[in-house]
mmCIF file with all atom_site columns, all heavy atoms in Angstrom:
data_model
loop_
_atom_site.group_PDB
_atom_site.id
_atom_site.type_symbol
_atom_site.label_atom_id
_atom_site.label_alt_id
_atom_site.label_comp_id
_atom_site.label_asym_id
_atom_site.label_entity_id
_atom_site.label_seq_id
_atom_site.pdbx_PDB_ins_code
_atom_site.Cartn_x
_atom_site.Cartn_y
_atom_site.Cartn_z
_atom_site.occupancy
_atom_site.B_iso_or_equiv
_atom_site.pdbx_formal_charge
_atom_site.auth_seq_id
_atom_site.auth_comp_id
_atom_site.auth_asym_id
_atom_site.auth_atom_id
_atom_site.pdbx_PDB_model_num
ATOM 1  N N   . GLN A 1 81 ? 69.740 152.881 98.350  1.00 0.00 ? 81 GLN A N   1
ATOM 2  C CA  . GLN A 1 81 ? 70.576 152.525 97.211  1.00 0.00 ? 81 GLN A CA  1
ATOM 3  C C   . GLN A 1 81 ? 72.061 152.510 97.568  1.00 0.00 ? 81 GLN A C   1
ATOM 4  O O   . GLN A 1 81 ? 72.856 151.936 96.840  1.00 0.00 ? 81 GLN A O   1
ATOM 5  C CB  . GLN A 1 81 ? 70.285 153.458 96.033  1.00 0.00 ? 81 GLN A CB  1
ATOM 6  C CG  . GLN A 1 81 ? 68.900 153.216 95.472  1.00 0.00 ? 81 GLN A CG  1
ATOM 7  C CD  . GLN A 1 81 ? 68.501 154.168 94.365  1.00 0.00 ? 81 GLN A CD  1
ATOM 8  O OE1 . GLN A 1 81 ? 69.080 155.228 94.189  1.00 0.00 ? 81 GLN A OE1 1
ATOM 9  N NE2 . GLN A 1 81 ? 67.472 153.785 93.622  1.00 0.00 ? 81 GLN A NE2 1
ATOM 10 N N   . GLN A 1 82 ? 72.413 153.126 98.699  1.00 0.00 ? 82 GLN A N   1
ATOM 11 C CA  . GLN A 1 82 ? 73.792 153.048 99.193  1.00 0.00 ? 82 GLN A CA  1
ATOM 12 C C   . GLN A 1 82 ? 74.026 151.752 99.959  1.00 0.00 ? 82 GLN A C   1
ATOM 13 O O   . GLN A 1 82 ? 75.142 151.495 100.410 1.00 0.00 ? 82 GLN A O   1
ATOM 14 C CB  . GLN A 1 82 ? 74.106 154.243 100.101 1.00 0.00 ? 82 GLN A CB  1
ATOM 15 C CG  . GLN A 1 82 ? 74.184 155.559 99.390  1.00 0.00 ? 82 GLN A CG  1
ATOM 16 C CD  . GLN A 1 82 ? 74.312 156.730 100.350 1.00 0.00 ? 82 GLN A CD  1
ATOM 17 O OE1 . GLN A 1 82 ? 74.555 156.551 101.538 1.00 0.00 ? 82 GLN A OE1 1
ATOM 18 N NE2 . GLN A 1 82 ? 74.134 157.939 99.826  1.00 0.00 ? 82 GLN A NE2 1
ATOM 19 N N   . GLY A 1 83 ? 72.980 150.958 100.154 1.00 0.00 ? 83 GLY A N   1
ATOM 20 C CA  . GLY A 1 83 ? 73.119 149.669 100.805 1.00 0.00 ? 83 GLY A CA  1
ATOM 21 C C   . GLY A 1 83 ? 72.813 149.665 102.290 1.00 0.00 ? 83 GLY A C   1
ATOM 22 O O   . GLY A 1 83 ? 73.082 148.677 102.970 1.00 0.00 ? 83 GLY A O   1
ATOM 23 N N   . GLN A 1 84 ? 72.239 150.754 102.816 1.00 0.00 ? 84 GLN A N   1
ATOM 24 C CA  . GLN A 1 84 ? 71.929 150.784 104.248 1.00 0.00 ? 84 GLN A CA  1
ATOM 25 C C   . GLN A 1 84 ? 70.655 149.995 104.533 1.00 0.00 ? 84 GLN A C   1
ATOM 26 O O   . GLN A 1 84 ? 69.731 149.959 103.729 1.00 0.00 ? 84 GLN A O   1
ATOM 27 C CB  . GLN A 1 84 ? 71.777 152.229 104.721 1.00 0.00 ? 84 GLN A CB  1
ATOM 28 C CG  . GLN A 1 84 ? 73.088 152.996 104.661 1.00 0.00 ? 84 GLN A CG  1
ATOM 29 C CD  . GLN A 1 84 ? 73.012 154.314 105.394 1.00 0.00 ? 84 GLN A CD  1
ATOM 30 O OE1 . GLN A 1 84 ? 72.095 154.556 106.172 1.00 0.00 ? 84 GLN A OE1 1
ATOM 31 N NE2 . GLN A 1 84 ? 73.990 155.171 105.153 1.00 0.00 ? 84 GLN A NE2 1
ATOM 32 N N   . SER A 1 85 ? 70.625 149.391 105.711 1.00 0.00 ? 85 SER A N   1
ATOM 33 C CA  . SER A 1 85 ? 69.457 148.622 106.130 1.00 0.00 ? 85 SER A CA  1
ATOM 34 C C   . SER A 1 85 ? 68.356 149.570 106.612 1.00 0.00 ? 85 SER A C   1
ATOM 35 O O   . SER A 1 85 ? 68.595 150.755 106.846 1.00 0.00 ? 85 SER A O   1
ATOM 36 C CB  . SER A 1 85 ? 69.832 147.662 107.255 1.00 0.00 ? 85 SER A CB  1
ATOM 37 O OG  . SER A 1 85 ? 70.138 148.393 108.431 1.00 0.00 ? 85 SER A OG  1
ATOM 38 N N   . ASP A 1 86 ? 67.164 149.011 106.796 1.00 0.00 ? 86 ASP A N   1
ATOM 39 C CA  . ASP A 1 86 ? 66.048 149.809 107.300 1.00 0.00 ? 86 ASP A CA  1
ATOM 40 C C   . ASP A 1 86 ? 66.380 150.384 108.676 1.00 0.00 ? 86 ASP A C   1
ATOM 41 O O   . ASP A 1 86 ? 66.064 151.533 108.969 1.00 0.00 ? 86 ASP A O   1
ATOM 42 C CB  . ASP A 1 86 ? 64.775 148.979 107.380 1.00 0.00 ? 86 ASP A CB  1
ATOM 43 C CG  . ASP A 1 86 ? 64.219 148.623 106.007 1.00 0.00 ? 86 ASP A CG  1
ATOM 44 O OD1 . ASP A 1 86 ? 64.799 149.072 104.990 1.00 0.00 ? 86 ASP A OD1 1
ATOM 45 O OD2 . ASP A 1 86 ? 63.208 147.905 105.944 1.00 0.00 ? 86 ASP A OD2 1
ATOM 46 N N   . ALA A 1 87 ? 67.012 149.566 109.520 1.00 0.00 ? 87 ALA A N   1
ATOM 47 C CA  . ALA A 1 87 ? 67.374 150.024 110.872 1.00 0.00 ? 87 ALA A CA  1
ATOM 48 C C   . ALA A 1 87 ? 68.373 151.180 110.802 1.00 0.00 ? 87 ALA A C   1
ATOM 49 O O   . ALA A 1 87 ? 68.265 152.140 111.569 1.00 0.00 ? 87 ALA A O   1
ATOM 50 C CB  . ALA A 1 87 ? 67.956 148.872 111.681 1.00 0.00 ? 87 ALA A CB  1
ATOM 51 N N   . GLN A 1 88 ? 69.325 151.111 109.893 1.00 0.00 ? 88 GLN A N   1
ATOM 52 C CA  . GLN A 1 88 ? 70.308 152.192 109.752 1.00 0.00 ? 88 GLN A CA  1
ATOM 53 C C   . GLN A 1 88 ? 69.646 153.473 109.256 1.00 0.00 ? 88 GLN A C   1
ATOM 54 O O   . GLN A 1 88 ? 69.972 154.567 109.720 1.00 0.00 ? 88 GLN A O   1
ATOM 55 C CB  . GLN A 1 88 ? 71.420 151.777 108.797 1.00 0.00 ? 88 GLN A CB  1
ATOM 56 C CG  . GLN A 1 88 ? 72.337 150.715 109.344 1.00 0.00 ? 88 GLN A CG  1
ATOM 57 C CD  . GLN A 1 88 ? 73.302 150.201 108.283 1.00 0.00 ? 88 GLN A CD  1
ATOM 58 O OE1 . GLN A 1 88 ? 72.936 150.024 107.136 1.00 0.00 ? 88 GLN A OE1 1
ATOM 59 N NE2 . GLN A 1 88 ? 74.540 149.955 108.709 1.00 0.00 ? 88 GLN A NE2 1
ATOM 60 N N   . ILE A 1 89 ? 68.714 153.334 108.332 1.00 0.00 ? 89 ILE A N   1
ATOM 61 C CA  . ILE A 1 89 ? 68.012 154.506 107.800 1.00 0.00 ? 89 ILE A CA  1
ATOM 62 C C   . ILE A 1 89 ? 67.166 155.146 108.898 1.00 0.00 ? 89 ILE A C   1
ATOM 63 O O   . ILE A 1 89 ? 67.169 156.368 109.071 1.00 0.00 ? 89 ILE A O   1
ATOM 64 C CB  . ILE A 1 89 ? 67.146 154.111 106.583 1.00 0.00 ? 89 ILE A CB  1
ATOM 65 C CG1 . ILE A 1 89 ? 68.047 153.683 105.419 1.00 0.00 ? 89 ILE A CG1 1
ATOM 66 C CG2 . ILE A 1 89 ? 66.235 155.256 106.175 1.00 0.00 ? 89 ILE A CG2 1
ATOM 67 C CD1 . ILE A 1 89 ? 67.313 153.048 104.266 1.00 0.00 ? 89 ILE A CD1 1
ATOM 68 N N   . LYS A 1 90 ? 66.457 154.312 109.671 1.00 0.00 ? 90 LYS A N   1
ATOM 69 C CA  . LYS A 1 90 ? 65.651 154.844 110.770 1.00 0.00 ? 90 LYS A CA  1
ATOM 70 C C   . LYS A 1 90 ? 66.533 155.534 111.801 1.00 0.00 ? 90 LYS A C   1
ATOM 71 O O   . LYS A 1 90 ? 66.191 156.611 112.298 1.00 0.00 ? 90 LYS A O   1
ATOM 72 C CB  . LYS A 1 90 ? 64.839 153.738 111.427 1.00 0.00 ? 90 LYS A CB  1
ATOM 73 C CG  . LYS A 1 90 ? 63.687 153.244 110.580 1.00 0.00 ? 90 LYS A CG  1
ATOM 74 C CD  . LYS A 1 90 ? 62.961 152.119 111.281 1.00 0.00 ? 90 LYS A CD  1
ATOM 75 C CE  . LYS A 1 90 ? 61.847 151.567 110.429 1.00 0.00 ? 90 LYS A CE  1
ATOM 76 N NZ  . LYS A 1 90 ? 61.154 150.454 111.104 1.00 0.00 ? 90 LYS A NZ  1
ATOM 77 N N   . GLU A 1 91 ? 67.669 154.936 112.121 1.00 0.00 ? 91 GLU A N   1
ATOM 78 C CA  . GLU A 1 91 ? 68.589 155.537 113.091 1.00 0.00 ? 91 GLU A CA  1
ATOM 79 C C   . GLU A 1 91 ? 69.114 156.883 112.581 1.00 0.00 ? 91 GLU A C   1
ATOM 80 O O   . GLU A 1 91 ? 69.220 157.847 113.340 1.00 0.00 ? 91 GLU A O   1
ATOM 81 C CB  . GLU A 1 91 ? 69.757 154.588 113.388 1.00 0.00 ? 91 GLU A CB  1
ATOM 82 C CG  . GLU A 1 91 ? 70.724 155.115 114.411 1.00 0.00 ? 91 GLU A CG  1
ATOM 83 C CD  . GLU A 1 91 ? 70.084 155.382 115.769 1.00 0.00 ? 91 GLU A CD  1
ATOM 84 O OE1 . GLU A 1 91 ? 69.140 154.680 116.158 1.00 0.00 ? 91 GLU A OE1 1
ATOM 85 O OE2 . GLU A 1 91 ? 70.542 156.326 116.451 1.00 0.00 ? 91 GLU A OE2 1
ATOM 86 N N   . PHE A 1 92 ? 69.414 156.962 111.297 1.00 0.00 ? 92 PHE A N   1
ATOM 87 C CA  . PHE A 1 92 ? 69.865 158.222 110.695 1.00 0.00 ? 92 PHE A CA  1
ATOM 88 C C   . PHE A 1 92 ? 68.803 159.304 110.855 1.00 0.00 ? 92 PHE A C   1
ATOM 89 O O   . PHE A 1 92 ? 69.097 160.437 111.256 1.00 0.00 ? 92 PHE A O   1
ATOM 90 C CB  . PHE A 1 92 ? 70.188 157.996 109.212 1.00 0.00 ? 92 PHE A CB  1
ATOM 91 C CG  . PHE A 1 92 ? 70.472 159.253 108.447 1.00 0.00 ? 92 PHE A CG  1
ATOM 92 C CD1 . PHE A 1 92 ? 71.694 159.889 108.562 1.00 0.00 ? 92 PHE A CD1 1
ATOM 93 C CD2 . PHE A 1 92 ? 69.515 159.807 107.602 1.00 0.00 ? 92 PHE A CD2 1
ATOM 94 C CE1 . PHE A 1 92 ? 71.964 161.055 107.849 1.00 0.00 ? 92 PHE A CE1 1
ATOM 95 C CE2 . PHE A 1 92 ? 69.766 160.964 106.900 1.00 0.00 ? 92 PHE A CE2 1
ATOM 96 C CZ  . PHE A 1 92 ? 71.003 161.596 107.023 1.00 0.00 ? 92 PHE A CZ  1
#
Side-chain angles (χ1 to χ4, degrees):
Q81 291 176 342
Q82 291 172 12
Q84 293 192 15
S85 68
D86 290 357
Q88 290 172 320
I89 293 170
K90 288 178 183 179
E91 182 60 32
F92 172 77

